[in-house]
């Protein structure tokens, strides 16, 4: 059964009073929504943001929500799936929208961010307007120092590197986060959940349910819902001991435990633990642990500009030489080569498709 959203913020979520107070103050006035799309933006996150408010207008029988799309320069933007989106204007044309959201996607770390965008967002914040981001857009807000003192979220693939680059920002692995006039979500279908929550706050749970039903969306999720499936589902393994061992490994990437320490934490002998890993993964616990650490290192090399030595230390390697040796053995390149070929290379562009997506927001 679908659980009705309430106006009471869930535990661990900041106050939602900003939305409620502004809605009550504005009465029946419409809400203007501005979406700023960046190169390689996520199409599923974009449409999941727009469609709930379009459907809400249809159910309400009036245009309560009005939306426009913007790019940095006013030119069409290519999404990560290769479709091209025409926009209504450039960031210079941004008006005083009630809700302004940045929609980005893959390789957000490599997108060139103009100073003007940060200036516009700060003006909106100063006026008490709601601003935020979907998918990886929280990275952009962090770069503009617009998440200080705010709780936010970002796609799970970006969380570890985000925490490394912005250690003072409170980022969670929740589906979406609403903190006063700042709203962020992890992208994908989480954007639908976030916008249903906004609709529920402004119009009540009944309308949010109607919108969800029109969208054939049966399970409206709270912001604190987990982004990922549980470890058992992801690995296909139900053995509690081995799952606990993997969780502990993930918590000790920077300070890796020995096989004996790991076995003690799950109440097994080192030999028993090794037998389990060989049976399920065809490798030793140490080999599996090393794979996790190198995967984390690769992510940091691709998503941050931290020095190679800093990445090595963050992943539990005592020296760059040992780190480089292990990295080359697994990925057939050095950490420096990885960064040069990925992080500093121009963002890849897919060839245009024949059928462009034009004005999705108003179709």
């Amino acid at each position: 059964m679908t659980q009705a959203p309430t106006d009471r913020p869930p535990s661990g979520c900041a106050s939602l009073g900003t939305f409620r107070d502004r809605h009550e103050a504005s009465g029946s006035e419409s809400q203007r929504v501005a979406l700023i799309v960046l190169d390689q933006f996520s199409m599923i996150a974009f449409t999941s943001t727009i469609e709930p408010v379009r459907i809400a207008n249809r159910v309400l029988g009036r245009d309560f929500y009005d939306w426009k799309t913007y790019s940095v320069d006013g030119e069409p933007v290519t999404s990560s799936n290769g479709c091209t989106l025409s926009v209504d204007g450039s960031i210079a044309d941004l008006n005083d929208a009630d809700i302004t959201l940045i929609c980005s996607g893959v390789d957000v770390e490599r997108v060139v961010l103009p100073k003007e965008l940060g200036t516009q967002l700060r003006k909106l914040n100063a006026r008490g307007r709601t601003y935020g981001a979907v998918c990886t857009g929280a990275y952009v807000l962090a770069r503009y120092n617009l998440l200080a003192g705010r709780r936010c979220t970002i796609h799970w693939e970006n969380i570890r590197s985000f925490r490394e680059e912005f250690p003072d920002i409170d980022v969670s692995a929740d589906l979406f986060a609403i903190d006063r006039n700042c709203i962020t979500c992890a992208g994908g279908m989480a954007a639908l959940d976030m916008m249903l929550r906004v609709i529920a706050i402004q119009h009540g749970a009944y309308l949010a349910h109607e919108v969800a039903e029109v969208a054939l969306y049966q399970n409206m999720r709270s912001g604190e819902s987990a982004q990922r499936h549980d470890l058992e589902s992801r690995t296909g393994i139900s053995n509690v001991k081995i799952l606990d061992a993997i969780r502990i490994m993930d918590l000790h990437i920077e300070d890796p435990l020995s096989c004996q320490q790991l076995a003690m934490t799950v109440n097994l002998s080192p030999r028993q633990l090794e037998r389990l890993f060989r049976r399920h993964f065809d490798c030793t616990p140490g080999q599996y642990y090393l794979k996790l650490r190198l995967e984390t290192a690769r992510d940091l090399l691709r998503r941050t500009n931290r020095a190679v030595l800093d990445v090595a230390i963050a992943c539990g390697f005592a020296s760059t030489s040992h780190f480089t040796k292990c990295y080359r053995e697994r990925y057939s390149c050095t950490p420096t080569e990885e960064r040069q070929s990925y992080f500093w290379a121009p963002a890849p562009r897919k060839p245009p498709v024949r059928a462009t997506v034009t004005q999705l927001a108003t179709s």
Side-chain angles (χ1 to χ4, degrees):
M1 179 180 294
T2 304
Q3 183 178 358
T6 66
D7 287 343
R8 178 178 53 83
S11 59
C13 188
S15 172
L16 304 176
T18 299
F19 275 118
R20 188 180 304 106
D21 294 345
R22 289 186 58 246
H23 174 56
E24 290 174 352
S26 62
S28 60
E29 292 179 6
S30 64
Q31 288 280 295
R32 292 163 295 177
V33 181
L35 262 84
I36 303 167
V37 289
L38 302 181
D39 192 42
Q40 298 294 297
F41 70 96
S42 166
M43 184 63 78
I44 188 173
F46 174 80
T47 54
S48 295
T49 302
I50 290 295
E51 283 300 285
V53 295
R54 179 190 69 81
I55 297 172
N57 283 352
R58 176 185 164 192
V59 175
L60 287 169
R62 61 188 177 92
D63 292 337
F64 180 84
Y65 293 101
D66 173 67
W67 57 89
K68 293 185 182 299
T69 55
Y70 301 87
S71 66
V72 170
D73 54 7
E75 295 298 315
V77 184
T78 302
S79 68
S80 58
N81 67 9
C83 292
T84 300
L85 175 73
S86 296
V87 296
D88 296 302
S90 72
I91 56 175
D93 303 317
L94 276 173
N95 54 17
D96 198 16
D98 298 283
I99 302 175
T100 301
L101 300 172
I102 294 175
C103 184
S104 54
V106 298
D107 300 330
V108 64
E109 303 86 359
R110 299 156 67 189
V111 175
V112 177
L113 300 177
K115 180 180 178 181
E116 293 77 12
L117 177 55
T119 301
Q120 292 278 44
L121 291 171
R122 291 189 192 93
K123 287 180 180 178
L124 291 170
N125 182 34
R127 296 184 191 124
R129 299 298 187 182
T130 297
Y131 66 94
V134 297
C135 197
T136 59
Y139 181 91
V140 178
L141 296 180
R143 286 277 298 273
Y144 288 129
N145 197 32
L146 284 163
L147 291 177
R150 295 285 197 275
R151 185 171 181 271
C152 69
T153 190
I154 196 169
H155 194 278
W156 65 265
E157 291 181 321
N158 301 76
I159 287 178
R160 196 184 297 272
S161 58
F162 186 94
R163 285 173 174 161
E164 290 288 340
E165 188 157 357
F166 306 105
D168 296 328
I169 294 178
D170 181 13
V171 61
S172 73
D174 295 347
L175 278 184
F176 63 87
I178 300 179
D179 190 338
R180 288 158 287 177
N181 66 324
C182 179
I183 61 177
T184 53
C185 80
M189 298 303 294
L192 177 55
D193 292 292
M194 181 179 76
M195 295 310 293
L196 287 173
R197 180 63 175 153
V198 171
I199 291 168
I201 292 169
Q202 294 182 328
H203 295 281
Y206 185 80
L207 178 63
H209 277 293
E210 285 198 274
V211 171
E213 285 191 332
V214 173
L216 303 181
Y217 192 62
Q218 297 180 354
N219 297 309
M220 294 165 57
R221 299 172 294 179
S222 70
E224 292 183 320
S225 299
Q227 293 184 28
R228 305 186 70 185
H229 295 294
D230 58 49
L231 189 57
E232 180 177 348
S233 299
R234 300 200 316 260
T235 61
I237 294 170
S238 58
N239 186 288
V240 175
K241 297 291 186 182
I242 200 168
L243 292 175
D244 285 345
I246 294 172
R247 291 188 187 96
I248 293 167
M249 288 179 183
D250 194 58
L251 291 172
H252 290 271
I253 295 293
E254 186 171 355
D255 54 333
L257 306 177
S258 67
C259 184
Q260 185 172 1
Q261 291 173 316
L262 194 60
M264 288 177 62
T265 60
V266 295
N267 296 317
L268 290 176
S269 70
R271 183 172 297 180
Q272 288 173 317
L273 186 64
E274 182 167 342
R275 280 203 298 266
L276 281 174
F277 270 83
R278 286 195 181 278
R279 182 190 310 159
H280 291 286
F281 299 110
D282 195 27
C283 67
T284 67
Q287 290 169 334
Y288 188 93
Y289 207 167
L290 179 61
K291 179 178 75 75
L292 287 183
R293 291 161 56 205
L294 289 172
E295 286 174 351
T296 301
R298 193 182 201 189
D299 184 63
L300 293 178
L301 288 168
R302 289 180 168 188
R303 299 182 188 278
T304 75
N305 60 358
R306 296 185 62 182
V308 172
L309 177 59
D310 290 342
V311 173
I313 293 173
C315 297
F317 295 92
S319 67
T320 53
S321 59
H322 182 219
F323 174 47
T324 300
K325 175 179 178 294
C326 295
Y327 201 92
R328 184 190 287 115
E329 289 176 353
R330 178 158 184 83
Y331 296 116
S332 301
C333 67
T334 67
T336 301
E337 291 168 344
E338 178 78 66
R339 169 159 287 165
Q340 289 173 343
S341 65
Y342 185 87
F343 190 81
W344 298 113
R349 285 183 175 272
K350 297 184 179 181
V353 296
R354 291 196 176 195
T356 61
V357 179
T358 305
Q359 296 295 352
L360 275 178
T362 57
S363 63

